[in-house]
Amino acid sequence: MTAQQTIDQPVFPAETLARMTALYPAEAGLLHHRLRDHPLLSLEALAALGESLPEERVEYNPGELPIGIKPEDIPANGLTIGETIRTIDTNRSWAVLKNIETMPDYRALLMDLLGEIEPVVAPRTGAMLTPQGFVFISSPGSITPFHFDPEHNILLQLRGHKMMNVWPAGDERFAHRREHERYHMGGHRNLPWEDSFRERAQQVPLGPGDAVLMPVMAPHFVTNGDAPSISLSITWRSEWSYRESEAHAANAALRRIGLDPAMPPRWPSYAWAKTVGWRVARKLKLVS
């Protein structure tokens, strides 16, 4: 069954597109959607999808984790990805299926959804590059640790409830420039956590039919409610987001030679010389 056969009205209502126009690309905020009970997103369909994806495109572990945890400290849950998803009600785990757009039906669904928001996105950040989809399946009480991501992102809540806790992107009080540099040079997405961060969190509660717009590199963690949760994350990159990545990578290279470069501006068009220099250095293999 294809996405075209199951979606007979816009998933994002007009008021959601208006709200997104006010927020995008810099602010997080609550949106709404009509994507409910889609056959590609049922628990059994997702278990089958997880079993068909390559090992590097699935991640799963116990869900009762600290908010701040080093990647190497995250234990295994002792199950397969299929077992994890099929028994998510009781196994106290968390799972993500990555790059679902590599499967034709899921790519059709993703592109339909991105097509609906393109009129809002394109005038602000240009072409929607590198479209990707991720599905999160969580047991009651699960926590997704404190981290950030390089994509523009809308997370659609399909089943259960969760709380998105998010902090401003580019604010060094919550993610220092060195953490950005580390990540953009191949490091893990998880960030150091301090309990003092809590008082500055923007909390966005999500239930079925809700969605949240997440800015590029906005630090966040997620707590699941008292029922199993399924969420679909639709993401894209922009020339703007790639320039920001390159500016941080260039700063990492400068730091290695003893300099202490400043945090790049949030709008990387102002970091043009640094990002172009990084691209030239990569092409000439002056940096790795």
Side-chain angles (χ1 to χ4, degrees):
M1 182 174 290
T2 66
Q4 289 81 0
Q5 290 174 310
T6 59
I7 298 177
D8 56 6
Q9 62 177 334
V11 169
F12 298 108
E15 56 268 27
T16 283
L17 297 182
R19 174 67 172 153
M20 187 173 170
T21 299
L23 295 171
Y24 184 79
E27 296 181 51
L30 180 67
L31 306 175
H32 301 287
H33 70 86
R34 300 188 184 108
L35 187 67
R36 302 282 295 275
D37 302 321
H38 194 288
L40 291 177
L41 300 169
S42 70
L43 212 57
E44 181 55 39
L46 294 174
L49 174 62
E51 291 169 335
S52 66
L53 288 171
E55 182 177 349
E56 65 272 14
R57 291 184 184 149
V58 299
E59 182 179 346
Y60 55 104
N61 49 249
E64 296 179 355
L65 297 173
I67 295 169
I69 186 170
K70 296 179 180 179
E72 61 269 24
D73 293 337
I74 297 175
N77 71 354
L79 304 172
T80 67
I81 183 61
E83 291 168 341
T84 297
I85 294 173
R86 290 187 178 96
T87 62
I88 200 68
D89 290 27
T90 58
N91 62 30
R92 302 164 72 180
S93 294
W94 171 91
V96 57
L97 307 181
K98 306 176 183 180
N99 300 118
I100 64 171
E101 76 283 352
T102 57
M103 310 300 282
D105 284 352
Y106 288 91
R107 182 173 183 83
L109 173 61
L110 173 66
M111 298 310 294
D112 280 353
L113 298 176
L114 294 180
E116 289 190 24
I117 62 174
E118 184 176 16
V120 175
V121 170
R124 289 163 176 76
T125 54
M128 300 175 80
L129 309 175
T130 323
Q132 295 180 315
F134 306 82
V135 180
F136 299 89
I137 307 102
S138 308
S139 293
S142 296
I143 291 177
T144 303
F146 189 53
H147 70 285
F148 51 22
D149 301 298
E151 305 93 357
H152 304 277
N153 177 17
I154 297 176
L155 181 80
L156 293 81
Q157 188 68 13
L158 304 171
R159 174 183 171 186
H161 293 78
K162 61 175 52 172
M163 180 68 75
M164 179 70 70
N165 302 268
V166 57
W167 286 260
D171 190 325
E172 287 196 83
R173 291 175 297 175
F174 311 114
H176 194 272
R177 73 193 79 165
R178 290 185 180 87
E179 293 299 324
H180 287 263
E181 293 166 15
R182 176 190 59 77
Y183 175 79
H184 288 296
M185 293 301 289
H188 197 273
R189 64 182 181 269
N190 284 9
L191 293 167
W193 169 256
E194 296 180 16
D195 284 339
S196 61
F197 293 169
R198 284 185 183 274
E199 63 186 29
R200 301 302 299 269
Q202 175 186 354
Q203 292 194 311
V204 184
L206 300 173
D210 293 331
V212 59
L213 176 67
M214 290 292 295
V216 170
M217 303 305 285
H220 60 283
F221 75 87
V222 187
T223 56
N224 200 47
D226 58 4
S229 168
I230 300 176
S231 308
L232 169 66
S233 183
I234 61 172
T235 78
W236 63 98
R237 299 294 299 268
S238 63
E239 177 67 15
W240 170 66
S241 75
Y242 280 121
R243 283 194 178 190
E244 181 173 72
S245 297
E246 290 162 347
H248 284 298
N251 276 359
L254 293 173
R255 195 173 302 283
R256 286 202 299 265
I257 61 173
L259 301 177
D260 184 20
M263 184 81 164
R266 280 297 289 160
W267 295 95
S269 58
Y270 298 117
W272 181 84
K274 186 173 288 185
T275 60
V276 169
W278 175 254
R279 292 181 183 186
V280 170
R282 289 290 296 271
K283 185 171 288 188
L284 296 177
K285 299 183 179 180
L286 298 178
V287 295
S288 57

